[in-house]
Amino acid sequence: MAGEITQQTQSQDNQKLERALSNRHIQLIAIGGAIGTGLFMGSGKTIAVAGPSVIFVYMIIGFMLFFVMRAMGEILLSNLEYKTFSEFAGDLLGPWAGFFTGWTYWFCWVVTGIADVVAIAHYVAFWWGDLPLWIPALTCIVLLVALNLPSVKNFGETEFWFALIKIVAILALIVTGLAMIVLGFEADGTRASFSNLWNYGGLFPTGMMGFIAGFQIAVFAFVGIELVGTTAAETKDPEKTLPRAVNSIPLRIILFYVGSLVILMSVTPWVKFSPEESPFVGMFALAGLVGAAGVVNFVVLTSATSSANSGIYSTSRMIYSLAVDGDAPKRFGKLTKNQVPRNALLFSCMFLLAGVVLLYTEGSVAEAFTLVTTISALCFMFVWTMILLSYLVYRKRRPHLHDQSKFKMPFGMLMPYVVLAFFVFILWTLTTQPDTLQALLATPVWFAILGVCYLKLRKNPQHQALRQAHAAKVEEENQAAALYRG
């Protein structure tokens, strides 16, 4: 009898995700999520559009998203049984919210992963131009699957080193740029100096509309900042690790985004940046680094691979969580003996193969690519919004948990509304450009598809029971909250 109980206990344990991600893994995953490939490749376009005012753009976006992360952190730590933010959205807002948040987040990363596969193939072509593009694309997918299947620790180690490469590259740029400024480096008749930030038309040289246009480009560089929220169920000592990761976000934004942009525009005036080129390449080339383009190409290659790696991880965990809650087929809720959701992992990776096909699609792939990735970024904003709405409901229905929390969100009842208003502002900025407006108008198609799927799913007896249980729980918690406040 004792042997049967032991086997049953082990079987139950095998159906739980393993807490194998250490503090160093989480800290570097958080940094990797905060530093997107857009910083290396897209910052040239942002600088060309907004000039030095782009510094304030990144600061404002980072400031707002910090509160999204604090809201997420407080809720996750209020109940360590939560596996992802889609789960607490479903618990607090209702089963529909878990369904929409989970599948939308899955869609975000699948689309981003497809974009990364296409980018990786072209980065590899920098060195081996004669190599068929499908070979590096397919090799990358197979390699990342092989790294993620054995255990979650493998993902943590891989992401640790990918993030470290990005950190070293940015720190190298900052140190090199500071040395050029101190030594009075001069090129093309321009001396490296902090005064270059305001000597070419001031801090807002392209006017208010140029400043506003910077937001619609820069916000895409922050997608993935919430990645830490998908690691909650696999983190060792989350009460200490998650707060450290979230609280260090402002410092990361200042150092990696603001710091690098200040140095770039101090060494080279903003008017000399090309939106088609990486400013990192130009910076290292000016410093006399042999093979600067190759070095930066290696960095952006690892950055794109890191993003694809994060996508494979996060989509598999999100599908697993959805399956456990009855929002995805049951087979995706099964784990291997090493607590890895293999079926969910392979399912998501199948969609990355679309990137291989996209490489050989005729027509204006670039325009379609921009459209799809912009839709993905808009969906990320939807996920951030659901986190904030969940927090507002959490504060209303569970005041005792907020009072007991050791990781309270600053200005908890004010900032969600401020950030939500900021998201409305971002949506408005997307209407100012034809390509982003097209993406904005196309995004509701995804939610219409989800709506049809959910209407069919809610007829399932399991979901009817979930909705009834949720309604009863809401009533009970509202009564308890009233008594607690009274």
Side-chain angles (χ1 to χ4, degrees):
M1 183 69 177
E4 291 179 3
I5 294 174
T6 301
Q7 288 180 347
Q8 185 178 6
T9 302
Q10 289 175 344
S11 177
Q12 291 173 348
D13 288 341
N14 284 340
Q15 291 309 304
K16 289 186 177 181
L17 296 169
E18 180 186 9
R19 291 193 179 276
L21 296 176
S22 65
N23 179 60
R24 71 181 179 90
H25 291 140
I26 296 302
Q27 300 307 319
L28 269 293
I29 288 170
I31 293 174
I35 307 173
T37 309
L39 175 62
F40 297 103
M41 299 304 292
S43 52
K45 183 178 181 181
T46 318
I47 292 171
V49 168
S53 67
V54 72
I55 296 169
F56 304 110
V57 170
Y58 280 102
M59 288 176 68
I60 292 170
I61 297 173
F63 174 79
M64 295 296 178
L65 292 184
F66 170 67
F67 289 97
V68 175
M69 295 294 290
R70 283 298 299 258
M72 181 182 73
E74 182 178 339
I75 300 176
L76 286 173
L77 293 177
S78 72
N79 182 355
L80 295 181
E81 292 300 314
Y82 287 140
K83 292 179 285 296
T84 63
F85 40 80
S86 73
E87 191 164 330
F88 71 59
D91 184 33
L92 290 163
L93 301 176
W96 70 270
F99 179 85
F100 274 78
T101 303
W103 279 111
T104 298
Y105 195 65
W106 173 85
F107 173 73
C108 289
W109 273 113
V110 163
V111 171
T112 303
I114 292 171
D116 289 328
V117 168
V118 173
I120 287 165
H122 286 288
Y123 292 147
V124 172
F126 176 85
W127 292 292
W128 297 288
D130 296 332
L131 190 69
L133 291 175
W134 67 267
I135 293 179
L138 191 59
T139 301
C140 174
I141 295 172
V142 173
L143 177 63
L144 291 178
V145 171
L147 288 171
N148 278 268
L149 271 180
S151 69
V152 68
K153 189 174 181 181
N154 278 38
F155 162 75
E157 285 294 330
T158 305
E159 197 57 30
F160 175 87
W161 291 106
F162 280 151
L164 201 58
I165 291 172
K166 289 191 277 190
I167 292 169
V168 170
I170 295 175
L171 291 179
L173 176 128
I174 292 174
V175 171
T176 302
L178 281 173
M180 294 170 76
I181 293 170
V182 171
L183 296 175
F185 176 84
E186 189 171 333
D188 297 329
T190 304
R191 184 185 179 93
S193 170
F194 288 116
S195 62
N196 287 333
L197 291 171
W198 55 82
N199 281 345
Y200 291 81
L203 293 176
F204 294 83
T206 59
M208 188 53 62
M209 289 309 296
F211 174 64
I212 289 172
F215 282 93
Q216 66 179 19
I217 303 171
V219 72
F220 303 146
F222 287 86
V223 298
I225 197 172
E226 72 301 309
L227 184 63
V228 172
T230 63
T231 67
E234 296 175 279
T235 302
K236 293 178 182 177
D237 198 8
E239 294 94 337
K240 292 182 180 179
T241 304
L242 289 178
R244 287 177 186 171
V246 172
N247 283 336
S248 58
I249 286 175
L251 180 61
R252 293 183 201 128
I253 299 301
I254 292 173
L255 177 62
F256 297 123
Y257 282 91
V258 177
S260 61
L261 291 171
V262 166
I263 293 299
L264 284 168
M265 289 184 286
S266 295
V267 173
T268 303
W270 74 273
V271 293
K272 296 185 179 182
F273 283 95
S274 168
E276 306 299 326
E277 298 177 3
S278 168
F280 280 69
V281 174
M283 172 77 176
F284 286 125
L286 279 177
L289 177 65
V290 178
V295 171
V296 175
N297 192 74
F298 172 73
V299 173
V300 295
L301 172 62
T302 56
S303 182
T305 309
S306 168
S307 177
N309 190 45
S310 299
I312 288 175
Y313 170 81
S314 58
T315 52
S316 64
R317 269 54 181 184
M318 194 60 72
I319 290 286
Y320 165 77
S321 178
L322 288 166
V324 171
D325 294 337
D327 289 329
K330 289 183 179 180
R331 63 179 178 275
F332 296 137
K334 294 181 179 180
L335 300 175
T336 65
K337 62 180 181 180
N338 292 327
Q339 284 80 43
V340 174
R342 179 177 57 196
N343 293 340
L345 185 73
L346 296 176
F347 173 74
S348 295
C349 288
M350 282 177 12
F351 289 88
L352 296 188
L353 294 173
V356 181
V357 178
L358 192 62
L359 288 167
Y360 296 95
T361 304
E362 295 182 359
S364 183
V365 176
E367 290 182 10
F369 196 66
T370 300
L371 174 67
V372 174
T373 52
T374 304
I375 291 173
S376 174
L378 284 166
C379 290
F380 270 107
M381 284 181 56
F382 170 80
V383 172
W384 298 336
T385 299
M386 295 302 285
I387 292 172
L388 292 173
L389 294 178
S390 297
Y391 181 81
L392 291 172
V393 173
Y394 156 82
R395 286 293 303 273
K396 179 182 178 181
R397 285 180 18 208
R398 300 173 187 175
H400 61 290
L401 292 181
H402 171 72
D403 291 342
Q404 296 168 8
S405 176
K406 297 179 181 178
F407 193 55
K408 293 184 177 70
M409 177 180 170
F411 310 104
M413 292 308 291
L414 170 64
M415 288 312 298
Y417 294 105
V418 173
V419 180
L420 289 172
F422 175 71
F423 288 164
V424 173
F425 163 74
I426 294 294
L427 290 176
W428 172 76
T429 66
L430 295 174
T431 66
T432 62
Q433 299 296 324
D435 53 349
T436 52
L437 175 60
Q438 186 181 6
L440 184 62
L441 296 175
T443 303
V445 174
W446 166 251
F447 292 102
I449 294 171
L450 279 186
V452 171
C453 293
Y454 185 72
L455 287 176
K456 291 184 178 181
L457 185 68
R458 65 182 297 183
K459 296 178 182 178
N460 185 299
Q462 181 182 356
H463 260 265
Q464 291 177 353
L466 276 174
R467 293 203 310 275
Q468 292 172 0
H470 176 75
K473 185 177 182 181
V474 170
E475 181 64 26
E476 182 181 338
E477 287 186 338
N478 284 338
Q479 292 177 1
L483 289 172
Y484 183 80
R485 290 193 180 94

